[in-house]
Amino acid sequence: MHQHLFFDKPICTIDFETTGLSHANGDRAIEIGMVRLEPDGTLIKWSSLINPKTKIPRLSQSIHGIDDQMVFNAPEFTDLYPQINSLLHDAHLIAHNAEFDVGFLAHECLISQLPVPKYDLVFDTLMFARHVFGLPRCNLITVSERFGIPVNNAHRALHDAYHTHLIFVNMVKALKESIQVQNTTELKELCRQSMNTKEVSAKQALTIQDSINEQYCLEVYYVSGDPSRPLIQRRVVQPIHSDGYRVLVYCHLRQAERSLRLNRILQMHGPCEAS
């Protein structure tokens, strides 16, 4: 099995470039990029322009650089479906803002009167960046840069699909090494819990207040927003005060007071010994 992942099934990252932002308003897919990683480490990259049978608005052209002439002789979605279906078959689907890409996939299948390919679980790197890692800006370029991935040709389907793939692999690796997320079920549960912000905040508030009252240390795994620092850091801290957004702590690693953003704390455990 690939050393960075723990999936018993392939993962397949997908990205669409489109004529606009809403298939409900008649927008169509004009390019697809897909990256499939097998459990043995085999990597498959594939992309194609798509003839949408409609004009591409100039505003959209200015974003991805795809014009009407480029797609004039491109295959239609129906022609590409067998390859799309093959790459997604029995795989976990990965996307950055998955609602967008899954929505366009389903819409194009509906127009072509074809069944939506049968993939397994969906993992959204946008949701992970926002809710699990608590990053301040979560567009694909910013998240790529935070994970040390150079951005060269953004807003083309294969480029964005591959970058999303790399982001996801690095996210999984970081979570596995820091807080010992061991399998697909635990990964989905971590994301579910992180998105339930009221529940998370309530648990954090109780743990922090108890630590303050009883004067004991907490072990925290904290996501740094600074690209020059490791993504996830283990710290042993003594909470001093919390306003519900940040917590002021004494950090034993740095031997100084620090302010930590609560939404960047992946986990906290206590009591623990100062170290």
Side-chain angles (χ1 to χ4, degrees):
M1 181 170 287
H2 193 277
Q3 62 177 338
H4 287 171
L5 299 176
F6 46 75
F7 296 107
D8 56 348
K9 294 186 176 184
I11 60 172
C12 185
T13 308
I14 186 169
D15 183 85
F16 282 104
E17 299 301 330
T18 63
T19 60
L21 297 177
S22 174
H23 59 75
N25 292 333
D27 288 316
R28 299 292 303 275
I30 57 174
E31 188 177 40
I32 184 171
M34 301 179 73
V35 177
R36 179 177 167 113
L37 177 66
E38 302 290 348
D40 65 3
T42 302
L43 190 70
I44 302 168
K45 299 180 185 179
W46 174 80
S47 70
S48 177
L49 291 168
I50 306 170
N51 189 335
K53 294 297 184 179
T54 188
K55 294 291 184 181
I56 304 172
R58 289 192 178 274
L59 178 59
S60 297
Q61 292 182 35
S62 69
I63 296 172
H64 45 56
I66 302 172
D67 59 30
D68 295 326
Q69 186 175 0
M70 292 170 65
V71 300
F72 183 75
N73 290 318
E76 295 182 34
F77 181 86
T78 305
D79 303 317
L80 300 171
Y81 178 83
Q83 179 71 356
I84 296 169
N85 187 55
S86 175
L87 289 171
L88 279 174
H89 178 70
D90 199 35
H92 299 307
L93 188 153
I94 318 298
H96 195 77
N97 190 12
E99 183 178 0
F100 177 87
D101 295 290
V102 169
F104 268 95
L105 174 65
H107 183 65
E108 291 295 336
C109 289
L110 178 64
I111 291 174
S112 301
Q113 297 184 315
L114 294 165
V116 177
K118 292 186 178 181
Y119 47 83
D120 204 298
L121 297 173
V122 176
F123 291 96
D124 188 341
T125 52
L126 173 62
M127 293 297 101
F128 273 82
R130 179 176 295 157
H131 296 290
V132 176
F133 291 90
L135 298 181
R137 297 180 61 204
C138 297
N139 63 69
L140 188 62
I141 293 175
T142 303
V143 177
S144 293
E145 291 172 345
R146 180 61 190 92
F147 281 86
I149 303 166
V151 177
N152 302 312
N153 193 20
H155 301 302
R156 289 302 298 265
L158 186 58
H159 171 280
D160 289 357
Y162 186 54
H163 274 64
T164 301
H165 164 81
L166 292 176
I167 287 168
F168 184 69
V169 167
N170 279 280
M171 284 179 168
V172 170
K173 182 174 183 289
L175 293 170
K176 183 178 179 182
E177 291 177 350
S178 61
I179 60 173
Q180 285 78 56
V181 174
Q182 295 296 326
N183 52 51
T184 306
T185 301
E186 292 183 6
L187 192 63
K188 288 294 289 186
E189 180 60 18
L190 174 65
C191 190
R192 186 199 68 78
Q193 291 179 356
S194 299
M195 291 177 69
N196 190 346
T197 54
K198 288 185 178 180
E199 180 181 330
V200 171
S201 297
K203 287 182 178 179
Q204 284 182 337
L206 286 173
T207 302
I208 290 169
Q209 192 58 52
D210 191 53
S211 172
I212 293 172
N213 293 341
E214 300 298 326
Q215 293 291 296
Y216 63 75
C217 292
L218 296 174
E219 176 190 44
V220 302
Y221 288 89
Y222 187 71
V223 178
S224 173
D226 184 348
S228 67
R229 294 180 179 177
L231 180 67
I232 301 174
Q233 303 170 28
R234 175 189 176 274
R235 299 182 184 183
V236 175
V237 302
Q238 171 63 61
I240 300 169
H241 172 74
S242 176
D243 62 5
Y245 177 69
R246 293 179 180 270
V247 56
L248 178 67
V249 302
Y250 178 82
C251 177
H252 288 273
L253 174 66
R254 299 184 179 276
Q255 295 187 334
E257 290 187 358
R258 288 288 184 270
S259 178
L260 306 181
R261 285 179 52 173
L262 290 172
N263 68 333
R264 289 192 188 168
I265 297 177
L266 281 173
Q267 283 188 0
M268 61 171 65
H269 308 285
C272 71
E273 295 294 326
S275 60

